[in-house]
Amino acid sequence: MSDTFPTAPAPVVTRVSPGDVPDEVVDRLRAGAIVAPADVAVLDLTGPGAVVSFQGLLTSDIEQPGDGAFVYGALLTPKGMIVVDGWAGRLGARVRFTVPREGQERAAAILHRSVPPRLARTVDRTADCTVLRVAGAHAVAILGAAGLPVPPHGHAVETTLGGGDVSLEIARATERAPFTFQITAAAEHQEALVDRLTKGGASIADATALELARILAGWPRLASEVDEKTIPQEIGYDEIGGVSYTKGCYTGQETVSRLHFRGHANRQLRGVLFEMDSPSPLAEAWSAVMEDEREVGRVTSIAWVAGADRWIGLAVIRREVEIGAVVRAAGREARVVGLPFDLPTTRPA
């Protein structure tokens, strides 16, 4: 793949260790909301052919929902393997693609190579934009209390801060997503935005808290759940709405559609619930998932959840390993569970 795209990020097991996300932040995710800066890159595709061009690249349908659509999807190789994933927002003649920072160069390379300049041009806005994500059970109420518009699921709107001259884009993710709102503005307005949201009741957090929310939601991450040979169905794109089987052609569609209509993925993204409640670290050097002395997958993300006081993880596992199966993952006994996680807390609401 490196002959066509910039070198893929090295695969890593994402880890959220005890103390990385304070207890009170976990409580706010469960019974309030947090606001945190996202570690992402922002690429704008603008011009008369932006929407049509992007529609021919993304696994999801950004054309049919109309102006204001906000969808999750990926750009693929011609063989159907994921190059980079992200959230695409359509406003007017512009598509804004928000991707993981480690996928910035790869996303830009595809857009520059695939979209003729006469149709649209790509502008990297990462340096001059701030992207905040609001996550938690009461995110909608808190956004309203902050005096900001609340778009419906899967839609984005442009607005201003307090009726002034500070321009914002507020997008609301789909229901399974690990965050509720994504707010994009000029970088110099981050402090004012955070202040407005905290006055509305949000708690300030960092990107690690968003990682915990991602793992709890069972949402894939580039370079952890996604490697150079990953196809969308292996990491739950059918379940999280990351692929359309009714839109027109896009790069890699043949492989994705053939698998959907004629077969099945041999691997699936699953949760692993570690049986031991000790906060001591899980093995760092061994990510294998074993069942009856047979290697059946790999652990891709792990996190300590304060309140539930236990380790959880994500793993890409062979499909014949059933929900409820007991395996050995990262050196400890664990139970395979469905996603998203549904963990009780040890503290009152």
Side-chain angles (χ1 to χ4, degrees):
M1 187 181 293
S2 58
D3 291 338
T4 306
F5 306 107
T7 303
V12 296
V13 177
T14 297
R15 301 176 67 91
V16 178
S17 300
D20 286 353
V21 181
D23 294 9
E24 58 270 22
V25 172
V26 178
D27 284 343
R28 294 300 291 168
L29 276 171
R30 183 181 57 84
I34 64 166
V35 56
D39 187 19
V40 294
V42 179
L43 301 174
D44 282 357
L45 189 65
T46 60
V51 174
V52 172
S53 298
F54 205 77
Q55 177 80 345
L57 297 172
L58 192 69
T59 55
S60 291
D61 194 337
I62 198 170
E63 197 168 50
Q64 189 277 331
D67 195 26
F70 184 65
V71 300
Y72 174 78
L75 309 184
L76 309 179
T77 70
K79 294 184 178 180
M81 298 172 187
I82 296 173
V83 180
V84 62
D85 65 328
W87 288 89
R90 170 187 172 184
L91 285 169
R94 184 204 72 199
V95 176
R96 174 163 288 168
F97 197 33
T98 307
V99 301
R101 186 81 66 157
E102 57 266 35
Q104 177 178 1
E105 189 179 359
R106 294 161 70 78
I110 290 180
L111 295 178
H112 283 301
R113 186 194 65 201
S114 303
V115 181
R118 62 184 175 79
L119 296 179
R121 64 189 186 96
T122 303
V123 180
D124 192 328
R125 299 288 310 281
T126 306
D128 54 74
C129 278
T130 184
V131 177
L132 301 175
R133 284 179 174 165
V134 183
H138 295 168
V140 172
I142 284 173
L143 211 73
L148 297 173
V150 177
H153 287 292
H155 285 81
V157 296
E158 287 184 308
T159 187
T160 58
L161 187 61
D165 56 0
V166 177
S167 179
L168 312 174
E169 177 183 306
I170 300 178
R172 187 174 179 180
T174 51
E175 290 191 59
R176 260 289 303 271
F179 62 91
T180 305
F181 298 105
Q182 176 174 288
I183 304 175
T184 307
E188 62 265 27
H189 301 313
Q190 177 174 322
E191 186 176 344
L193 267 172
V194 171
D195 182 65
R196 174 66 68 92
L197 289 163
T198 54
K199 286 179 179 176
S203 295
I204 301 174
D206 60 21
T208 307
L210 295 177
E211 275 300 300
L212 175 60
R214 178 191 69 80
I215 295 170
L216 285 167
W219 204 270
R221 172 181 172 144
L222 189 67
S224 291
E225 286 70 40
V226 181
D227 62 23
E228 285 195 331
K229 296 181 180 179
T230 302
I231 55 178
Q233 291 99 327
E234 292 179 321
I235 52 170
Y237 268 42
D238 286 346
E239 291 78 15
I240 65 177
V243 60
S244 169
Y245 297 107
T246 58
K247 64 176 283 186
C249 295
Y250 58 89
T251 302
Q253 182 194 35
E254 183 178 354
T255 299
V256 173
S257 295
R258 184 169 62 247
L259 186 64
H260 176 72
F261 291 109
R262 300 183 184 177
H264 55 74
N266 292 325
R267 305 185 299 168
Q268 295 178 325
L269 182 62
R270 290 286 184 252
V272 285
L273 193 60
F274 292 93
E275 300 297 342
M276 296 177 63
D277 59 2
S278 167
S280 60
L282 279 73
E284 292 195 26
W286 186 31
S287 62
V289 178
M290 309 292 294
E291 184 184 43
D292 297 330
E293 307 304 319
R294 180 173 68 108
E295 186 169 332
V296 293
R298 62 185 179 91
V299 175
T300 53
S301 296
I302 57 174
W304 173 259
V305 185
D309 292 339
R310 68 187 307 164
W311 288 96
I312 64 171
L314 300 177
V316 179
I317 302 175
R318 290 196 61 83
R319 69 185 302 271
E320 61 264 25
V321 180
E322 298 180 353
I323 298 292
V326 175
V327 297
R328 192 159 186 83
R332 283 196 190 167
E333 192 172 86
R335 181 162 43 90
V336 177
V337 297
L339 297 169
F341 286 96
D342 182 17
L343 295 179
T345 181
T346 58
R347 289 187 292 275

